[in-house]
Structure formats: C-alpha cells, structure tokens
Amino acid sequence: MKIALASAKFKNNDVPFNLRQIEDCMLQAKEAGAELVCFGEAFLQGFDALTWYWERDRDVAVTTDSEVFRALERLTADTGIDLLVGFLEREEEEIYSSCALLSEGRAVHNYRRISRGWKDFRKTDGHYREGREVTPFRWRGRTCLIALCGDLWDAPERFRQGQDLLFWPVYVNFPLEEWREAIRGDYAEQARSVCPRTLLIASVTAPPDPEASGGCADYGPGGAVLEPGREGVLIVEA
C-alpha cells in the first residue's frame, strides 16, 4: 500500500486556497497509486490563522459538521483517495488543534492535540483546549495513532501502544541549516523511540507568513525523506 506525504504550501486564513492545495495533492497521489495523502498540522486554515481573541477565532475554527468539513469528506468520495489533514476545530465554545482521517466520504478518526504548544498560552483562555484521549484506530487493516507536533516531545509514553503506524503531522520553522545539522536527527530519534514506523509531515508557508520549509520523512526501516525547502509529495510503501 502506498501513502503520500505532502510537503504542501498553505496560506493562513485562506481556506479556498488550502482546499485547492489539498485537492491537487490528492489527484497527484492518485496518479502515483497512493491510497492516502497526509498533510501537516492545522493545514486547512493555516497554523498561524488564530489571533487568540475568541470572538474572532470562533469563526476561523470549523466544526466537523460544517460545510468546509463536508467539502473534505466529499473530496475523499470523489477522488477515491483517503485524506489525513490537520485543522483548527471548534466544538461548541472550545477550539482544538485537531487532525482527522477521512475515507469514502466520512471521518474515520478525529484526534485532538494533547500538548499546549500549538497556542500562545500566555494569551489564551478556557476557549482554547487540548484533547485528552490518545486512542488507536483501525485503517485498512492496520492499527494506527496520530500525534501532533509537540505531543511526541511532551508525552511520548502515551504513544507507545504497539501500533503499526504513527502519523506525525507537524509545523516546524527552524532555519534550514539548523534543521539539517542537528534538529533533524533529534526528530528521527524521537520518532523511532515511540513507534518503529512513524510518518512525519510538515507544511510550507507562503510569504508573508512566518517561514516554514516543510519536508516529510518515513522513520521506518529503509525510510525515505523529502528534504525541506520546497513543495513536493513523498510516496512511501506501508
């Protein structure tokens, strides 16, 4: 089975642009014979889409019964490709950094980040929340988990559940040279300490947003890497 890891560019607060990016990568993945395409943390709205003012941010975050989320579900039905994507989720009066796996027009699993590094916690109030559950789920005959960015640094023990696959969407904006010389090795070591097959997916930002260079990696036996610094799709066998 082939999985596509998308080092794709998002624009903060430009959901139509980001949806087009998702669709384009899904079609590219389908041509390559992949069954799933994965995107980075908060890709749908952009990682820096929030202002930490609830009255505004409540309209940026989306519910899982919103038209925008329905559009994601329709994409999986129309293209025949499954989708894993990070998004800013609102449930009633709370906002989460979440990640959903969608297949055949419906959500198979929705995970909420348990670590607080996705938000400016010096400014936020009780509207901005972390999830509590780290629950394995079944996808195409495999036991899977999702971790978002800082989760594997703050609570790695919670993700050692004997799963077959760990999806790790992240947002990282380290200088490229610093990433290549030191930090990349730290991420690889941390991933392998948690699961023997971890798939990292990072996004690219578009100017004038804060710069992130993307990149993807398969931290498994003989794993492949898509180096940061450009957009692209890494196809891995799982």
Side-chain angles (χ1 to χ4, degrees):
M1 178 178 61
K2 294 181 178 179
I3 297 175
L5 311 180
S7 175
K9 182 181 294 181
F10 67 69
K11 292 182 180 179
N12 287 313
N13 289 304
D14 193 341
V15 171
F17 174 85
N18 299 337
L19 282 173
R20 290 193 297 273
Q21 291 285 86
I22 291 169
E23 183 174 11
D24 288 348
C25 288
M26 292 177 77
L27 294 174
Q28 183 179 345
K30 184 174 183 178
E31 290 182 2
E35 296 184 47
L36 169 70
V37 60
C38 305
F39 292 85
E41 183 176 13
F43 188 89
L44 180 63
Q45 297 102 325
F47 186 82
D48 290 301
L50 298 178
T51 64
W52 318 122
Y53 294 99
W54 164 249
E55 294 303 323
R56 179 196 175 281
D57 290 344
R58 67 183 301 166
D59 296 324
V60 174
V62 299
T63 63
T64 55
D65 61 358
S66 64
E67 179 54 33
V68 171
F69 201 83
R70 293 283 179 259
L72 296 174
E73 293 176 328
R74 285 195 298 271
L75 276 176
T76 65
D78 294 344
T79 63
I81 296 291
D82 294 350
L83 170 65
L84 185 139
V85 62
F87 68 108
L88 299 168
E89 179 189 5
R90 177 170 57 83
E91 184 180 56
E92 297 181 350
E93 299 295 294
E94 298 172 344
I95 293 177
Y96 301 86
S97 178
S98 299
C99 185
L101 193 150
L102 304 100
S103 176
E104 299 179 344
R106 66 181 185 88
V108 173
H109 185 72
N110 187 32
Y111 169 75
R112 292 169 174 171
R113 178 171 169 165
I114 63 171
S115 57
R116 67 177 187 168
W118 67 278
K119 66 188 183 184
D120 189 341
F121 48 81
R122 299 164 299 179
K123 298 178 180 178
T124 53
D125 57 20
H127 293 294
Y128 303 83
R129 303 292 296 273
E130 285 70 59
R132 297 181 178 179
E133 302 296 326
V134 180
T135 306
F137 62 97
R138 296 288 291 175
W139 174 74
R140 297 189 181 270
R142 291 160 174 79
T143 302
C144 305
L145 276 177
I146 298 171
L148 284 172
C149 208
D151 289 346
L152 288 196
W153 300 103
D154 289 6
E157 69 284 351
R158 297 193 62 184
F159 297 88
R160 297 186 180 111
Q161 299 193 37
Q163 66 274 8
D164 302 310
L165 278 174
L166 175 63
F167 298 102
W168 193 17
V170 302
Y171 175 82
V172 291
N173 58 354
F174 302 104
L176 273 176
E177 188 169 337
E178 184 179 350
W179 171 265
R180 289 168 178 156
E181 290 183 357
I183 298 173
R184 172 171 55 187
D186 295 338
Y187 272 72
E189 182 178 354
Q190 191 70 3
R192 293 182 179 120
S193 75
V194 174
C195 179
R197 194 70 187 276
T198 298
L199 304 178
L200 178 140
I201 314 101
S203 302
V204 180
T205 50
D209 294 331
E211 184 176 353
S213 299
C216 299
D218 175 5
Y219 295 127
V225 173
L226 176 64
E227 293 290 346
R230 61 184 178 87
E231 293 186 82
V233 174
L234 176 66
I235 305 295
V236 302
E237 295 277 354

